[in-house]
Amino acid sequence: YLMEKIKFGKNDFNKNLFDINNIFYITCEKYWDGGYEPSAAMNEKADFYRIANQFANIIKEIVSATDDTLIIGSEISEKGCLFESWKDLRNYDAYNNLYGLINKKCSYMLNLPDDSNIVDYIVENNFRYFSCIDFYLPKSKAVLQPTCHTELFIYSKNYDLLLPIVKNILQDYQGFYLKKYISE
């Protein structure tokens, strides 16, 4: 992996992005809350990973189409932590694969396509509620947030530039939709 540690602090990121009232998100016809159950049948797991893979590909396509980079780190996470603290997390290979790569006190710039697997690991872990890592696109001033509800929230103060790109990408993903989320 080429994921490189970078100096990134509170002043490099505008936390106000998370305060936007009318945000957008990408959802699909399938919905899991925290991933699949440990007793899930193989076809259920395969379906989960097919959907997670499509979401990871959408993120990579957004980065490519905007000619941007991805930055991850605790300063960017809306929750303020990168990993959840369930008692049995170390029993899951998905968690171990990602946890071993990321120092919780560091920020990283992901270099695509070399760090494609890191994006995949993050989407899988976020969807399974093992991690809560957000992706920051510095040029676009946007955050892409895969959630444990099998959705990808998009926080941006530049929706007029970003949404046409996202809509164009989603044309290739049957059953995936861009929706407006109105906070209460």
Side-chain angles (χ1 to χ4, degrees), residues 31-56:
Y31 174 85
W32 284 274
D33 187 7
Y36 54 85
E37 295 295 321
S39 62
M42 191 179 303
N43 65 337
E44 292 174 72
K45 292 177 185 177
D47 200 28
F48 172 83
Y49 281 106
R50 180 184 61 80
I51 298 288
N53 185 58
Q54 289 177 308
F55 271 101

Side-chain angles (χ1 to χ4, degrees), residues 6 62-64 66-72 108-112 135-140 142 144:
I6 59 170
I62 291 170
V63 173
S64 176
T66 57
D67 191 34
D68 216 325
T69 56
L70 291 173
I71 296 176
I72 60 170
Y108 299 90
M109 182 170 59
L110 304 182
N111 297 294
L112 297 178
F135 298 102
Y136 178 53
L137 287 76
K139 288 182 192 173
S140 303
L144 303 178

Side-chain angles (χ1 to χ4, degrees), residues 69-133:
T69 56
L70 291 173
I71 296 176
I72 60 170
S74 59
E75 294 296 336
I76 296 156
S77 177
E78 183 179 22
K79 280 191 84 173
C81 67
L82 296 179
F83 295 96
E84 294 299 339
S85 56
W86 312 124
K87 291 178 187 173
D88 64 347
L89 272 178
R90 294 199 188 277
N91 295 334
Y92 296 95
D93 62 341
Y95 169 81
N96 292 322
N97 289 338
L98 184 60
Y99 188 80
L101 296 172
I102 295 176
N103 180 328
K104 296 183 286 187
K105 296 179 183 171
C106 295
S107 295
Y108 299 90
M109 182 170 59
L110 304 182
N111 297 294
L112 297 178
D114 297 319
D115 288 325
S116 276
N117 284 348
I118 303 293
V119 174
D120 297 346
Y121 290 158
I122 291 170
V123 170
E124 175 187 12
N125 277 270
N126 281 20
F127 280 8
R128 293 187 69 192
Y129 202 35
F130 298 160
S131 65
C132 42
I133 299 172

Side-chain angles (χ1 to χ4, degrees), residues 141-183:
K141 303 235 183 294
V143 171
L144 303 178
Q145 182 184 69
T147 75
C148 62
H149 296 136
T150 326
E151 299 167 327
L152 178 66
F153 278 82
I154 303 168
Y155 297 87
S156 176
K157 292 189 177 179
N158 237 351
Y159 283 128
D160 52 336
L161 296 175
L162 195 57
L163 292 183
I165 292 169
V166 171
K167 288 176 185 175
N168 187 48
I169 290 168
L170 290 181
Q171 290 177 9
D172 295 334
Y173 291 87
Q174 186 176 1
F176 283 72
Y177 308 99
L178 179 67
K179 294 186 175 183
K180 190 174 195 178
Y181 179 83
I182 302 174
S183 57

